[in-house]
Amino acid sequence: MKKPIYVTKPYIPPMEEYLKYIEEIWKSEVLTNMGGLHNQLEYQLKQYLEVPYAMLFTNGHSALELVLEGLNLSGEVITTPYTFASTSHAIVRNGLTPVFCDIKDSDFTMDSSKIESLITEKTTAILAVHVYGYPCDVEGIRKIAKKHNLKVIYDAAHAFGEKVEGIGIGNFGDASMFSFHATKVFHTVEGGAVIIKNMELGYKLHQLRNFGITGEESITSIGSNAKMSELHAAMGLCNLKHIDELIAKRRVRVEHYEKRLSKIPGVRIAQRRDDVEYNYAYMPIVIEEKEYGEDRDYVCTRLNREGIFPRKYFYPLVNTCDCYLEKCDMQETPIANHISKSVLSLPLYADLPMEIVDKICDLIEER
Ligand code: T4K
């Protein structure tokens, strides 16, 4: 039986590169609690991402939860339903209420023209997602936030290394979170980072990720434990050396997918912008049933029969999940509903064979 092709495959660096770091760890006997490799990775990420300061966490989700806590938010947070559950879970787990804003049909990010109508006296922040690495309307969101005195947090889980008009994507908003999960463009097995601009928030996050400890004999807040270990940081240091090559390989695959799939009636691809340097994190397509003649589930099953396993990222839509029904008033999000029911994320990783890309395109084209 041929090996199945999954939606993604983690990048695994040459073992000898990882072992060099492991030797260092064995010698130092420092395994965690902001050790040398952790600090090196924070420094290298700050340089690579061209941001003021990058703080590491055990995973993207805890980073997001803690940054919302660190910003002292209250009441309502405007967010998108078209995302992984982590985004709105982080809001609810902070005792805040998510208010769901619909998305744009063109790139699936939050529709900034619909934000203002959702603002109430309880709104304190906007949590938007650069979903699949398609950047949000950062300028539109900045203006609304300034006018209404709101904080802006970006869930940039998918947007590692991207630039908008030459500016590192982590620089927008009050804070941004990157996920370094194994399935991401850049990973530390499990891990994440928060990009911050001011050290006041940095200091709070530093405490929140380490039990609120400020010294051997002082604990000044009820913090959590979200420190990245040396073994995870070592994986990050290895992977960062390969990141440009990995993104370049992804780009070749995405461009080939897009060239072929854009010719198929009823298959839609998000609009790309000329002013963005993408990381090619995901390959989502929208199957417009009326035009294509079959629905998204048909395409998924057809690929599955050939041992190819795309994923319905992001379905179900979080605001339709039972666990949200009692948490908030449901806003209508018709575009997000439609995209969620029609989307399929095709397999994509740096060494995905080009013949497989062609095979997937053939299967979608032939129906
Ligand atoms: N915000 C957004 C917008 C996010 O997308 C995410 C995470 C977060 C926040 C939270 O960040 P983290 O706390 O995770 O750092 C995966 C990932 O677990 C998750 O990180 C990611 N988003 C989400 C979109 O996808 P699953 O449940 O779909 O993963 P799973 O285990 O089904 O893996 C997908 C495929 O990848 C598998 O079919 C096979 C392959 N795979 C996976 C792993 C873990 C491998 O080949 N090897 C592996 O080790 O959530």
Side-chain angles (χ1 to χ4, degrees):
M1 212 177 91
K2 271 192 247 156
K3 260 185 131 179
I5 301 290
Y6 294 113
V7 66
T8 192
K9 197 169 83 163
Y11 172 69
I12 306 214
M15 195 185 275
E16 57 281 9
E17 290 182 19
Y18 191 60
L19 288 177
K20 271 193 196 151
Y21 287 109
I22 296 301
E23 274 173 25
E24 265 187 54
I25 295 173
W26 255 238
K27 274 187 210 143
S28 72
E29 296 179 351
V30 175
L31 301 183
T32 186
N33 287 8
M34 282 77 80
L37 300 181
H38 171 281
N39 296 342
Q40 262 183 59
L41 183 58
E42 280 194 342
Y43 180 75
Q44 289 190 21
L45 286 171
K46 163 187 147 72
Q47 304 286 104
Y48 184 81
L49 297 167
E50 298 179 10
V51 292
Y53 197 68
M55 295 187 71
L56 289 170
F57 289 82
T58 36
N59 55 60
H61 180 78
S62 41
L64 197 56
E65 272 195 30
L66 294 180
V67 80
L68 295 183
E69 188 178 341
L71 285 166
N72 280 328
L73 303 178
S74 61
E76 296 173 358
V77 176
I78 296 175
T79 191
T80 166
Y82 193 73
T83 178
F84 194 55
S86 165
T87 315
S88 45
H89 282 9
I91 296 173
V92 176
R93 289 175 62 79
N94 267 285
L96 304 163
T97 304
V99 173
F100 292 104
C101 180
D102 209 355
I103 58 170
K104 286 184 284 171
D105 196 44
S106 54
D107 66 6
F108 323 134
T109 61
M110 189 186 276
D111 184 344
S112 56
S113 72
K114 295 192 177 136
I115 295 176
E116 278 198 288
S117 65
L118 298 171
I119 295 175
T120 70
E121 68 284 359
K122 293 187 195 149
T123 311
T124 54
I126 299 168
L127 170 50
V129 181
H130 302 305
V131 67
Y132 308 122
Y134 300 124
C136 296
D137 170 17
V138 289
E139 183 51 21
I141 292 174
R142 187 192 65 76
K143 283 189 187 143
I144 295 166
K146 191 168 177 231
K147 184 171 157 197
H148 298 273
N149 192 25
L150 306 175
K151 298 283 183 206
V152 177
I153 307 100
Y154 284 107
D155 177 335
H158 305 164
F160 183 84
E162 295 192 326
K163 286 187 179 163
V164 179
E165 292 180 359
I167 299 168
I169 200 161
N171 289 289
F172 300 102
D174 294 278
S176 292
M177 177 280 285
F178 292 106
S179 161
F180 300 156
H181 183 260
T183 53
K184 297 296 188 292
V185 170
F186 167 78
H187 77 86
T188 58
V189 183
E190 287 276 1
V194 172
I195 306 309
I196 47 153
K197 292 173 174 168
N198 74 65
M199 277 322 293
E200 196 191 328
L201 178 60
Y203 188 63
K204 271 193 198 157
L205 286 175
H206 187 67
Q207 291 182 29
L208 283 171
R209 74 177 172 183
N210 189 24
F211 305 102
I213 294 173
T214 47
E216 277 189 28
E217 295 183 11
S218 67
I219 301 166
T220 52
S221 59
I222 316 287
S224 184
N225 178 5
K227 294 168 268 111
M228 179 180 281
S229 83
E230 289 293 273
L231 284 99
H232 292 85
M235 182 61 89
L237 288 165
C238 287
N239 288 346
L240 201 54
K241 294 196 176 85
H242 299 275
I243 189 70
D244 289 337
E245 183 199 335
L246 295 175
I247 292 175
K249 284 177 153 183
R250 283 174 170 272
R251 180 180 182 158
V252 171
R253 280 138 187 90
V254 167
E255 285 180 349
H256 195 62
Y257 263 132
E258 291 189 349
K259 192 169 147 215
R260 288 211 48 194
L261 295 171
S262 60
K263 293 184 187 136
I264 306 174
V267 177
R268 218 150 53 77
I269 292 157
Q271 268 171 24
R272 289 200 183 272
R273 289 164 43 177
D274 293 338
D275 60 351
V276 174
E277 277 178 44
Y278 292 96
N279 65 4
Y280 305 94
Y282 290 84
M283 185 58 233
I285 58 167
V286 173
I287 303 291
E288 297 294 1
E289 189 182 348
K290 277 193 196 137
E291 221 183 328
Y292 182 75
E294 300 288 352
D295 65 5
R296 178 268 309 270
D297 290 358
Y298 168 89
V299 178
C300 191
T301 310
R302 182 165 166 77
L303 294 173
N304 290 170
R305 276 200 209 109
E306 301 291 326
I308 297 162
F309 298 93
R311 288 292 282 269
K312 297 174 192 175
Y313 294 139
F314 289 99
Y315 175 87
L317 209 55
V318 283
N319 57 353
T320 64
C321 293
D322 284 353
C323 54
Y324 276 88
L325 299 181
E326 286 168 14
K327 297 281 178 220
C328 43
D329 296 336
M330 275 311 148
Q331 298 76 32
E332 294 291 314
T333 56
I335 295 175
N337 276 307
H338 172 71
I339 301 294
S340 176
K341 286 178 184 152
S342 323
V343 76
L344 203 55
S345 279
L346 299 178
L348 177 63
Y349 40 92
D351 62 355
L352 177 66
M354 291 300 276
E355 311 86 80
I356 302 288
V357 175
D358 271 320
K359 184 175 174 187
I360 292 169
C361 295
D362 290 344
L363 288 164
I364 297 172
E365 196 169 13
E366 289 158 12
R367 284 176 186 69

